[in-house]
């Protein structure tokens, strides 16, 4: 460890004594000197500083600090601030201090080269503007080399990630909602070198409609969900392992990092697209429409409960080992890409529940969107999915539930079943009141299966068929994401 260094400086025109050491920059200003008031200030190089530069006889310390006196809604909000230290020792002293601080910052293992996806079509279509105004200046100030790729069509990020020369980069960043992150994970897992490729850290900057992953990561660190906080988390380089769910139907395969939903929530999310001109209000508006005209779907679910959740549902007496089927099919269709988790469950592990259902919601992280805490007990890498099951609920109570989704307290309702599962199978059926019409299966904001008569059915070719069972299995801690701090 380097010894502490001290120097006479001027900060904001006021004389001060500065100390550098122990991963901290500290200075004390004397009373009555220049424009500055007496007092002491300390900056943690690891937690607050993202760049240092020597300019002649001054050292510019680029920091990202919590706003003074922040409370209430402003709690956790940070702002960019440059501290300028004029060194009494001249240019040599400034260069030495800048070099020493830079050496300390480099020791934290922060990323130096990033590949950045910018989705100009997501959310309010402001991602490019956000990147130019807020994201690029922060990366440049931190000395990070950036390669930018704007996505041009659905699936573009997946294609690029599947063939990107990852040796050139320390991480991948998604400036988007959750869709580009999902594409990147799917692209990486279809590579022949997926075992090494999936170790590449992925950062998420909220610039879309939902932003569930960014919200989950920042909230877990008690940080406000904002563009600048997300970028600073990436600059600092802390990493968090993340479970990945393999979704399988026959030989068709898809990977999820956020959620799968069927019934009420999927209908609201997808069918409200026709009201996109309303902005974010479309979700609330269409939620009321759907509750007033509530649908119930026939179907069934099967699952392997986590320890402590074995009492829900009924045991399956006759069971076909779908895990063996899962591994055999993946080995045949994609022999060199990620085959899915290597796990097998016995017949006695599985339980089932038959419909009709109002909603089925499977979550991998706590927040489904910035204002919806769908799974308050979800963890990033516990090896479980958090299932929310709603079989019946009076309309008035259902409206009350929606009002409680902002803090996750809705799961306390007697109409809501909440449990953790290791594996899950959904067999989606038809509307109770209209057997000729099916529902929508939504994964991470994208439709993977639609029944007859549903919104968008005639315009889209979906990844999977509606009706045959769709299976989810967790691979614990498969992927890695950038986070604000080390989260347990």
């Amino acid at each position: 460890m380097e010894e502490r260094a001290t120097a006479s400086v001027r900060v904001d025109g006021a004389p001060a004594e500065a100390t550098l050491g122990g991963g901290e920059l500290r200075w004390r200003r004397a009373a009555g000197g220049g424009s500055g008031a007496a007092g002491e200030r300390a900056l943690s190089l690891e937690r607050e500083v993202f760049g240092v530069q020597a300019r002649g006889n001054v050292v510019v310390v680029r920091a990202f600090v919590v706003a003074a006196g922040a409370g209430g809604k402003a709690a956790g909000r940070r702002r960019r601030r440059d501290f300028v230290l004029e060194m009494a020792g001249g240019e040599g002293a400034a260069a030495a201090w800048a070099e020493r601080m830079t050496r300390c910052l480099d020791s934290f293992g922060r990323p130096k080269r990033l590949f950045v996806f910018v989705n100009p079509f997501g959310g309010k279509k402001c991602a490019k503007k956000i990147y130019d105004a807020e994201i690029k200046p922060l990366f440049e100030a931190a000395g990070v080399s950036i390669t930018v790729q704007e996505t041009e069509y659905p699936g573009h990020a997946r294609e690029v990630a599947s063939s990107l020369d990852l040796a050139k980069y320390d991480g991948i960043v998604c400036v988007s909602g959750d869709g580009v992150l999902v594409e990147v994970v799917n692209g990486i897992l279809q590579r022949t070198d997926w075992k090494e490729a999936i170790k590449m850290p992925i950062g998420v900057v909220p610039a879309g409609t939902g932003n569930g992953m960014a919200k989950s990561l920042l909230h877990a660190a008690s940080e406000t969900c904002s563009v600048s906080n997300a970028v600073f988390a990436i600059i600092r380089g802390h990493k968090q392992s993340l479970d990945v769910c393999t979704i399988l139907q026959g030989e068709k395969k898809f990977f999820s990092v956020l959620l799968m939903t069927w019934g009420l929530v999927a209908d609201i999310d997808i069918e409200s697209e026709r009201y996109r001109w309303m902005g974010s209000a479309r979700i609330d508006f269409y939620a009321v429409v759907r509750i007033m005209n509530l649908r119930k779907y026939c179907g069934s679910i099967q699952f392997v409960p986590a320890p402590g959740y074995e009492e829900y549902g009924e045991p399956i007496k006759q069971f076909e080992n779908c895990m063996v089927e899962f591994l055999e099919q993946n080995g045949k269709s994609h022999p060199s890409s990620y085959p899915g988790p290597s796990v097998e469950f016995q017949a006695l592990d599985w339980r089932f529940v038959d419909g009709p259902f109002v909603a089925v919601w499977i979550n991998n992280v706590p927040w489904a969107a910035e204002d919806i805490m769908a799974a308050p007990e979800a963890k990033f890498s516990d090896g479980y999915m958090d299932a929310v099951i709603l079989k019946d609920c009076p309309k008035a109570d259902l409206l009350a539930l929606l009002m409680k989704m902002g803090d996750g307290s809705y799961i306390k309702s007697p109409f809501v079943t909440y449990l953790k599962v290791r594996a899950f199978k959904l067999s989606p059926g038809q509307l109770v009141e209209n057997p000729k019409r099916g529902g929508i299966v939504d994964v991470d904001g994208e439709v993977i299966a639609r029944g007859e008569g549903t919104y968008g059915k005639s315009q889209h070719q979906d990844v999977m068929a509606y009706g045959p069972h769709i299976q989810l299995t967790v691979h614990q801690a498969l992927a890695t994401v950038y986070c604000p701090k080390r989260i347990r």
Side-chain angles (χ1 to χ4, degrees):
M1 180 180 293
E2 291 183 313
E3 295 182 0
R4 289 183 179 273
T6 59
S8 296
V9 301
R10 296 182 73 86
V11 182
D12 295 333
E17 188 74 14
T19 304
L20 177 62
E24 184 180 69
L25 172 65
R26 182 181 296 270
W27 63 90
R28 181 188 295 275
R29 294 189 295 200
S35 60
E40 188 174 46
R41 180 67 187 256
L43 288 176
S44 166
L45 297 184
E46 196 276 333
R47 294 191 302 272
E48 297 176 296
V49 176
F50 63 88
V52 179
Q53 184 181 23
R55 296 177 183 170
N57 68 334
V58 304
V59 176
V60 180
V61 181
R62 302 185 178 100
F64 202 56
V65 295
V66 175
K73 292 184 179 180
R77 288 186 179 175
R78 294 174 177 265
R79 62 186 179 91
R80 163 81 184 275
R81 182 174 177 185
D82 287 353
F83 296 90
V84 180
L85 280 63
E86 184 181 349
M87 309 296 294
E91 293 187 12
W97 274 53
E99 181 183 356
R100 183 167 177 164
M101 280 187 268
T102 299
R103 201 161 52 237
C104 181
L105 294 176
D106 289 343
S107 71
F108 300 139
R110 296 180 173 183
K112 294 294 186 183
R113 306 163 301 166
L114 293 172
F115 188 93
V116 181
F117 285 105
V118 177
N119 177 15
F121 306 106
K124 297 179 181 179
K125 302 182 179 180
C126 296
K128 181 64 168 62
K129 182 178 179 180
I130 291 171
Y131 174 78
D132 290 335
E134 300 183 58
I135 301 170
K136 183 179 178 181
L138 283 172
F139 281 143
E140 289 181 343
V144 178
S145 174
I146 311 163
T147 301
V148 180
Q149 172 69 66
E150 288 190 35
T151 56
E152 299 174 3
Y153 47 85
H156 190 192
R158 176 175 181 161
E159 293 176 6
V160 174
S162 68
S163 58
L164 186 65
D165 185 356
L166 297 179
K168 294 181 179 180
Y169 308 101
D170 300 317
I172 296 174
V173 176
C174 306
V175 181
S176 174
D178 297 301
V180 169
L181 168 65
V182 176
E183 287 192 23
V184 169
V185 171
N186 275 268
I188 286 175
L189 290 177
Q190 73 182 42
R191 297 168 63 112
T192 56
D193 64 342
W194 66 268
K195 289 183 180 180
E196 288 301 316
I198 196 59
K199 298 176 183 177
M200 174 67 72
I202 305 172
V204 187
V205 181
T209 302
N211 305 315
M213 184 61 73
K215 174 70 173 186
S216 294
L217 291 166
L218 289 162
H219 182 264
S222 300
E223 298 275 4
T224 302
C225 185
S226 69
V227 170
S228 55
N229 280 352
V231 175
F232 187 54
I234 295 166
I235 289 172
R236 289 177 66 191
H238 287 166
K239 303 175 186 68
Q240 166 68 43
S241 56
L242 178 69
D243 292 344
V244 176
C245 298
T246 298
I247 301 178
L248 181 76
Q249 185 186 70
E251 294 187 358
K252 298 176 181 178
K253 183 171 56 175
F254 190 80
F255 303 108
S256 166
V257 293
L258 202 70
L259 58 88
M260 183 184 82
T261 185
W262 168 63
L264 177 64
V265 179
D267 291 348
I268 293 171
D269 183 26
I270 302 304
E271 293 179 359
S272 66
E273 288 285 338
R274 71 186 78 182
Y275 304 106
R276 186 169 280 273
W277 55 269
M278 298 177 64
S280 59
R282 68 182 172 91
I283 299 293
D284 295 334
F285 164 75
Y286 198 68
V288 174
V289 172
R290 281 274 52 85
I291 290 173
M292 292 298 99
N293 301 274
L294 193 61
R295 298 167 178 166
K296 291 185 180 180
Y297 292 92
C298 300
S300 65
I301 58 174
Q302 300 176 12
F303 54 89
V304 178
Y309 295 89
E310 296 91 348
E311 296 304 314
Y312 187 74
E314 299 294 329
I316 295 177
K317 297 178 181 179
Q318 292 184 342
F319 181 78
E320 178 183 351
N321 193 331
C322 61
M323 286 299 148
V324 173
E325 173 190 2
F326 173 89
L327 294 172
E328 286 179 351
Q329 288 176 342
N330 278 280
K332 293 175 183 177
S333 59
H334 303 282
S336 58
S337 63
Y338 171 62
S342 300
V343 292
E344 236 179 90
F345 300 109
Q346 303 300 317
L348 54 83
D349 293 327
W350 287 83
R351 302 182 74 83
F352 78 95
V353 175
D354 286 333
F357 298 95
V358 171
V360 175
W361 206 354
I362 312 299
N363 298 274
N364 191 42
V365 295
W367 292 83
E370 286 189 59
D371 57 352
I372 300 176
M373 183 184 267
E377 297 176 18
K379 307 298 181 185
F380 294 104
S381 57
D382 61 356
Y384 302 117
M385 298 170 282
D386 287 41
V388 178
I389 301 164
L390 191 64
K391 290 200 67 178
D392 195 12
C393 187
K395 293 178 181 179
D397 293 281
L398 197 49
L399 282 170
L401 286 182
L402 291 182
M403 300 298 291
K404 296 179 180 179
M405 285 186 175
D407 61 4
S409 60
Y410 81 100
I411 68 168
K412 298 177 183 178
S413 166
F415 299 105
V416 174
T417 298
Y418 186 101
L419 66 156
K420 288 182 175 287
V421 299
R422 299 168 63 197
F424 193 90
K425 288 173 67 175
L426 168 68
S427 298
Q430 306 301 94
L431 269 175
V432 171
E433 58 270 27
N434 183 0
K436 294 183 179 181
R437 176 167 179 161
I440 295 172
V441 181
D442 175 7
V443 174
D444 297 348
E446 300 295 331
V447 177
I448 65 166
R450 305 172 204 252
E452 290 298 326
T454 56
Y455 174 77
K457 175 65 177 178
S458 60
Q459 294 98 326
H460 296 85
Q461 179 63 44
D462 299 313
V463 176
M464 296 179 182
Y466 187 87
H469 72 251
I470 297 171
Q471 179 174 300
L472 289 77
T473 316
V474 184
H475 189 142
Q476 186 174 8
L478 179 62
T480 302
V481 289
Y482 286 115
C483 63
K485 66 180 181 181
R486 294 173 180 86
I487 302 168
R488 292 183 179 180

